[in-house]
């Protein structure tokens, strides 16, 4: 390092001495002029500044080097660089801050240096055009965030504020701004199709590139890969994590990209903040890319940015990324199929691996799959469905419809790969309606569909979807559909008539917005790229326009006599102990009509609880009949004095009875296509 101050800092000291000399004659002025005390303080501050600066030439030489690098990267003029240097010096040296405050001709003390004294220190008149050009709102200093002028008073009295992050950077601290902590994203740079287009746009200079792709596409990784090819460091922020002040977070992100001489990638809710955000990004003096799931809206600006499509990862790319999280292990079989089916981004794959490794040092493919299921939002319940069609008691025609739907799900990709069989502009999804009374097995059938396909069931919680504010329900539904597409799960809407109800004539604003919500669901259902099941007790309440968009409409009837026999047997076979002195007569119980599987399940559960009160958990016919009578009263049906036995009481053991019930159930299911009454 040099032994004396550089020309820049020596010039600042000379300017301060000259400002002190100009004020020295004030001692001979009449009352009302600057006091002797003010002049003495100013002279003392000037001497302290000179002594401090000349004793630390190495520090100011390092600052000079950082300033020159920053000025070259951003394109600052010498005057703009000097402005940053003076404000930094005032931030470091309290004596200089006091001296600049004493130089001000009028007004009370201020926290930051003002324009007038700084210009006097630099020896530049305020009428020089470059002064206002450098400090105007659209100038380089304020666009980059290197220097702020927050005041709006007379020009010479406005404050010059150097952000703490800039001061820290010039002193050698390159830690990102703490306000960005929650918003920062670490991308996975990949050489992907589309990256070359981003590269070409950025080679021509800083500018905004709009990267548009579906949910789960690898746009962030693609842009990061293009930046890596240019040798640029990447600052990536997710504005969906900045609910309180997205504009402030964006300004901090632009400044961070300026300081590191890199590129800025914005994702999250960037497209939802409107024209002001787009304008700010377009003016940023660094390469900028917005990765969004929505297309560019011409209403945001009178110009069009370059638009680059982002694609989802290919099977080979996904397999390579998942294998990287497993190390030497490689997924195979059903677990491999489930992992490969997840439409997740490279960043999400890495997050899944980090989560799995937080619980086990060497995670297996099953550990990764379990961790991946936590990627869904909290608008519903994500669970692994272990139910199959063999666990349901259904009429033969209904079972056949469910089996056909499962076949569609298994062969969907292979069939649609032949061409646009679904129609151009439509999604590749499968939509089904399960209609029937309460307790007839609609929810369990949806679980069986998911379980047979080896997928998770994503059951939507309507309480988290419906919102009293206009437009909020649609936003939440959009997030739900996107999550189901990304995680490749079966999307299940129970009580679907609450959301998918018929549109009505518009009588007031409520009707208008309710119709808009249904219209949005119609459009989104047609574009959905997955499997969705709607369940309802009131099929007539659904909008008729949904029928065309449904590939399957399956009716779940109340079980007939043979179905009730099978249902009683299916639920009773899970009872651990029976009362051999009071055997259960399934045939007699099945004579009570209009009972759904859900009601029968409630009766058996209630009987099991009652049995622990008087027979040590051994369930008898009296427990079941008592529970059935209570269930009938709940349903509003006339109370019955008792359920008579129709055949000789059974006196077999619990294990034999279970085996017999299973055999009877199998036979009854075969004959379930017609009503059989004793």
């Amino acid at each position: 390092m040099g032994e004396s101050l550089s020309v820049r800092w020596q010039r600042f000291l000379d300017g301060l001495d000259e400002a002190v000399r100009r004020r020295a004659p004030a001692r001979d002025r009449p009352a009302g002029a600057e006091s002797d005390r003010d002049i003495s303080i100013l002279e003392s501050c000037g001497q302290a500044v000179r002594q401090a600066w000349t004793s630390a030439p190495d520090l100011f030489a390092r600052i000079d080097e950082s300033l020159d690098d920053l000025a070259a990267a951003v394109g600052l003029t010498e005057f703009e660089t000097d402005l940053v240097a003076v404000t930094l010096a005032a931030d470091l040296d309290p004596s200089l801050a006091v001296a600049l405050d004493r130089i001000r001709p009028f007004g009370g003390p201020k926290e930051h240096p003002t324009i007038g004294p700084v210009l006097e220190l630099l020896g530049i008149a305020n009428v020089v055009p470059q002064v206002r050009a450098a400090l105007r709102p659209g100038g380089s200093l304020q666009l980059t965030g290197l220097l702020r002028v927050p005041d709006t008073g007379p020009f010479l009295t406005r404050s010059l504020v150097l952000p703490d992050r800039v001061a820290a950077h010039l002193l050698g601290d390159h830690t990102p701004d703490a306000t960005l902590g929650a918003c920062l994203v670490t991308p996975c740079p990949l050489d992907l199709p589309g990256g070359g287009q981003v590269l070409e746009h950025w080679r021509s200079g800083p500018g905004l590139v709009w990267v548009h792709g579906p949910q789960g596409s690898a746009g962030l990784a693609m842009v990061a890969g293009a930046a890596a090819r240019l040798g640029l460091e990447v600052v990536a922020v997710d504005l969906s994590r900045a609910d309180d002040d997205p504009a402030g977070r964006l300004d901090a992100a632009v400044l961070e990209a300026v300081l590191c001489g890199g590129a800025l990638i914005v994702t999250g809710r960037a497209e939802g903040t409107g024209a002001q955000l787009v304008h700010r990004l377009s003016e940023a003096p660094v390469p900028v890319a917005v990765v969004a799931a929505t297309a560019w809206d011409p209403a945001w600006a009178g110009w069009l940015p370059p638009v680059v499509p982002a694609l989802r990862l290919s099977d080979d790319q996904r397999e390579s990324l998942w294998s990287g999280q497993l190390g030497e292990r490689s997924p195979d079989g059903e677990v491999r199929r489930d992992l490969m089916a997840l439409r997740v981004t490279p960043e999400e794959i890495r997050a899944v691996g980090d989560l799995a490794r937080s619980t086990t040092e060497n995670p297996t493919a099953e550990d990764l799959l379990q961790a991946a299921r936590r990627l869904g939002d909290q608008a519903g319940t994500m669970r692994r469905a272990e139910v199959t069609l063999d666990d349901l008691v259904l009429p033969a025609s209904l079972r056949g419809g469910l089996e056909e739907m499962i076949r569609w799900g298994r062969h969907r990709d292979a069939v649609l790969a032949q061409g646009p069989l679904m129609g151009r502009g439509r999604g590749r999804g499968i939509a089904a309606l399960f209609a029937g009374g309460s307790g007839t097995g609609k929810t369990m059938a949806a679980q069986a569909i998911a379980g047979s396909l080896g997928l998770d069931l994503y059951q939507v919680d309507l309480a988290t979807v419906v919102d009293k504010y206009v437009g909020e329900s649609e936003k939440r539904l959009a997030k739900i559909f996107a999550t189901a597409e990304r995680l490749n799960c079966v999307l299940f809407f129970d009580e679907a008539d609450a959301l998918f109800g018929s549109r009505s004539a518009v009588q007031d604003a409520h009707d208008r917005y309710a119709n808009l919500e249904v219209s949005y669901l119609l459009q989104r259902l047609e574009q959905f790229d997955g499997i969705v099941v709607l369940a309802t007790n009131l099929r007539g309440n659904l909008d008729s326009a949904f029928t065309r968009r449904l590939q399957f409409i399956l009716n779940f009837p109340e079980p007939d006599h043979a179905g009730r026999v099978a249902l009683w047997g299916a639920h009773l076979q899970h009872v651990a102990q029976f009362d051999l002195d009071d055997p259960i007569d399934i045939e007699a119980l099945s004579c009570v009509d209009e009972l759904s599987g859900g009601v029968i399940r409630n009766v058996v559960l209630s009987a099991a609880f009652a049995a622990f009160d008087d027979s040590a958990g051994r369930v008898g016919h009296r427990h079941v009949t008592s529970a059935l009578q209570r269930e009938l009263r709940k349903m509003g049906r006339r109370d019955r004095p008792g359920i008579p036995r129709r055949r000789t009481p059974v006196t077999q053991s619990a294990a034999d009875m279970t085996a017999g019930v299973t055999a009877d159930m199998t036979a009854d299911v075969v004959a379930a296509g017609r009503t059989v009454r004793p």
Side-chain angles (χ1 to χ4, degrees):
M1 298 293 180
E3 297 180 356
S4 60
L5 289 174
S6 67
V7 174
R8 171 184 289 133
W9 302 105
Q10 189 62 52
R11 182 160 43 89
F12 294 168
L13 288 177
D14 294 342
L16 181 59
D17 291 342
E18 180 63 26
V20 173
R21 282 194 296 271
R22 279 197 293 268
R23 283 159 177 76
R27 296 177 179 179
D28 301 328
R29 292 179 185 176
E34 294 174 300
S35 66
D36 291 344
R37 179 175 176 274
D38 291 336
I39 297 300
S40 297
I41 292 175
L42 186 57
E43 290 175 342
S44 299
C45 288
Q47 295 171 2
V49 170
R50 178 174 290 276
Q51 181 178 358
W53 288 18
T54 55
S55 64
D58 291 350
L59 171 63
F60 288 93
R62 290 197 300 270
I63 295 176
D64 263 337
E65 185 177 353
S66 298
L67 275 170
D68 292 340
D69 291 342
L70 184 59
V74 182
L76 299 181
T77 65
E78 182 179 357
F79 171 64
E80 292 169 338
T81 308
D82 285 346
L83 286 174
V84 175
V86 170
T87 52
L88 173 63
D91 192 57
L92 297 177
D93 191 341
S95 296
L96 178 62
V98 172
L100 290 174
D101 189 60
R102 293 287 174 176
I103 293 175
R104 288 190 305 109
F106 56 87
K110 287 201 171 187
E111 295 181 356
H112 302 280
T114 54
I115 295 177
V118 170
L119 292 179
E120 186 174 352
L121 186 69
L122 297 177
I124 297 179
N126 70 308
V127 295
V128 176
Q130 64 174 334
V131 172
R132 294 182 182 267
L135 295 174
R136 64 186 176 86
S140 298
L141 289 175
Q142 295 207 59
L143 279 181
T144 57
L146 294 174
L147 202 63
R148 292 188 290 111
V149 186
D151 301 341
T152 57
F155 182 73
L156 293 179
T157 65
R158 296 176 190 174
S159 298
L160 295 175
V161 180
L162 184 77
D164 291 342
R165 178 68 189 94
V166 178
H169 174 82
L170 294 174
L171 292 173
D173 182 2
H174 303 298
T175 305
D177 193 332
T179 61
L180 286 177
C183 301
L184 287 176
V185 178
T186 304
C188 296
L190 295 176
D191 188 6
L192 299 174
Q197 299 180 50
V198 176
L199 196 64
E200 291 302 319
H201 292 304
W202 279 354
R203 277 177 175 159
S204 61
L208 172 63
V209 177
W210 194 268
V211 179
H212 173 220
Q215 191 78 21
S217 60
L220 186 59
M222 179 189 76
V223 176
R229 291 169 62 182
L230 283 176
L232 297 176
E233 188 175 339
V234 169
V235 176
V237 291
D238 184 351
L239 288 189
S240 64
R241 305 174 189 172
D243 294 334
D244 54 342
D245 184 19
R249 299 295 191 278
L250 182 61
D251 287 340
V254 171
L255 175 59
E256 198 64 41
V258 167
L259 294 177
C260 72
L264 175 62
I265 306 177
V266 179
T267 185
R269 289 196 309 231
E271 67 277 10
T273 52
Q276 184 177 4
L277 175 67
V278 170
H279 179 70
R280 178 71 180 92
L281 290 172
S282 67
E283 290 187 326
V286 294
V288 178
V290 175
V291 180
T294 59
W296 169 265
D297 188 345
W300 290 332
W303 46 270
L304 296 175
V307 177
V308 178
L311 305 177
R312 290 193 177 102
L313 294 171
S314 66
D315 290 344
D316 291 340
Q317 291 165 340
R318 281 201 301 270
E319 185 168 10
S320 175
L321 291 171
W322 284 118
S323 298
Q325 299 299 327
L326 288 169
E328 296 180 356
R329 305 181 183 184
S330 59
D332 53 9
E334 294 185 0
V335 177
R336 177 187 180 280
R337 179 197 65 189
D338 293 344
L339 279 177
M340 296 295 293
L342 298 177
R343 294 168 178 168
V344 293
T345 65
E347 292 74 26
E348 289 170 335
I349 291 177
R350 183 182 56 202
V352 166
D354 293 342
L355 176 61
R357 280 188 293 274
S358 67
T359 56
T360 177
E361 184 175 355
N362 297 310
T364 64
E366 182 62 32
D367 295 330
L368 292 178
L369 191 60
Q370 292 296 333
R373 294 188 181 119
R374 296 180 58 182
L375 288 174
D377 59 24
Q378 300 302 311
T381 302
M382 184 79 71
R383 59 182 173 181
R384 192 55 152 176
E386 304 295 342
V387 181
T388 65
L389 289 183
D390 293 334
D391 298 311
L392 277 69
V393 177
L394 301 170
S397 59
L398 179 56
R399 183 184 177 94
L402 293 175
E403 289 175 343
E404 183 181 4
M405 185 175 173
I406 292 172
R407 288 194 297 270
W408 277 46
R410 283 176 178 159
H411 306 303
R412 176 172 54 125
D413 290 339
V415 171
L416 296 181
Q418 302 174 22
L421 297 178
M422 300 286 288
R424 296 187 182 277
R426 293 172 56 94
R428 297 158 52 95
I430 298 174
L433 173 66
F434 292 174
S438 176
T440 53
K442 300 184 297 296
T443 300
M444 199 169 180
Q447 296 175 8
I449 294 292
S452 300
L453 293 173
L455 304 177
D456 289 336
L457 183 73
Y458 189 16
Q459 184 167 351
V460 178
D461 182 2
L462 294 182
T464 64
V465 174
V466 179
D467 196 284
K468 64 180 179 180
Y469 296 106
V470 175
E472 288 301 315
S473 297
E474 286 84 346
K475 291 180 182 178
R476 296 177 182 178
L477 285 167
K479 188 176 181 181
I480 289 171
F481 277 104
T483 299
E485 286 178 333
R486 186 174 77 251
L487 299 184
N488 193 28
C489 54
V490 176
L491 183 58
F492 179 54
F493 289 91
D494 199 5
E495 307 297 341
D497 50 282
L499 283 175
F500 298 78
S502 298
R503 289 168 289 186
S504 59
V506 177
Q507 303 293 334
D508 53 26
H510 179 271
D511 293 336
R512 177 173 174 240
Y513 289 116
N515 289 347
L516 285 175
E517 186 174 299
V518 175
S519 299
Y520 168 78
L521 284 167
L522 285 167
Q523 181 186 29
R524 193 62 182 85
L525 188 65
E526 191 166 37
Q527 297 172 352
F528 184 56
D529 192 9
I531 300 176
V532 60
V533 176
L534 315 177
T536 179
N537 302 338
L538 304 169
R539 177 181 172 182
N541 287 1
L542 290 179
D543 195 286
S544 58
F546 283 106
T547 303
R548 179 180 63 81
R549 293 165 171 85
L550 299 170
Q551 284 79 32
F552 295 89
I553 299 179
L554 302 178
N555 294 308
F556 286 70
E558 296 283 349
D560 57 14
H561 180 271
R564 291 193 295 273
V565 170
L567 286 168
W568 280 111
H571 289 288
L572 285 171
Q573 68 176 333
H574 298 296
V575 174
Q577 300 181 72
F578 293 98
D579 187 350
L580 300 182
D581 296 329
D582 186 19
I584 298 175
D585 192 337
I586 293 179
E587 182 67 28
L589 294 171
S590 302
C591 291
V592 181
D593 56 6
E594 297 182 11
L595 294 182
S596 65
V599 173
I600 293 173
R601 178 200 57 211
N602 291 342
V603 170
V604 173
L605 181 63
S606 179
F609 276 104
F612 272 90
D613 285 337
D614 61 1
S615 59
R618 292 187 294 272
V619 178
H621 190 76
R622 64 188 182 280
H623 302 124
V624 179
T625 55
S626 176
L628 178 56
Q629 290 171 358
R630 183 167 58 253
E631 199 69 24
L632 291 173
R633 288 195 294 271
K634 285 168 52 180
M635 297 167 60
R637 295 172 60 176
R638 188 179 62 168
D639 191 14
R640 299 192 179 202
I643 308 299
R645 286 178 168 81
R646 293 295 185 124
R647 59 186 182 188
T648 304
V650 179
T651 58
Q652 59 201 119
S653 66
D656 293 340
M657 181 178 180
T658 299
V661 166
T662 304
D664 290 343
M665 179 178 63
T666 302
D668 290 329
V669 169
V670 175
R674 56 190 179 86
T675 302
V676 179
R677 292 186 178 273

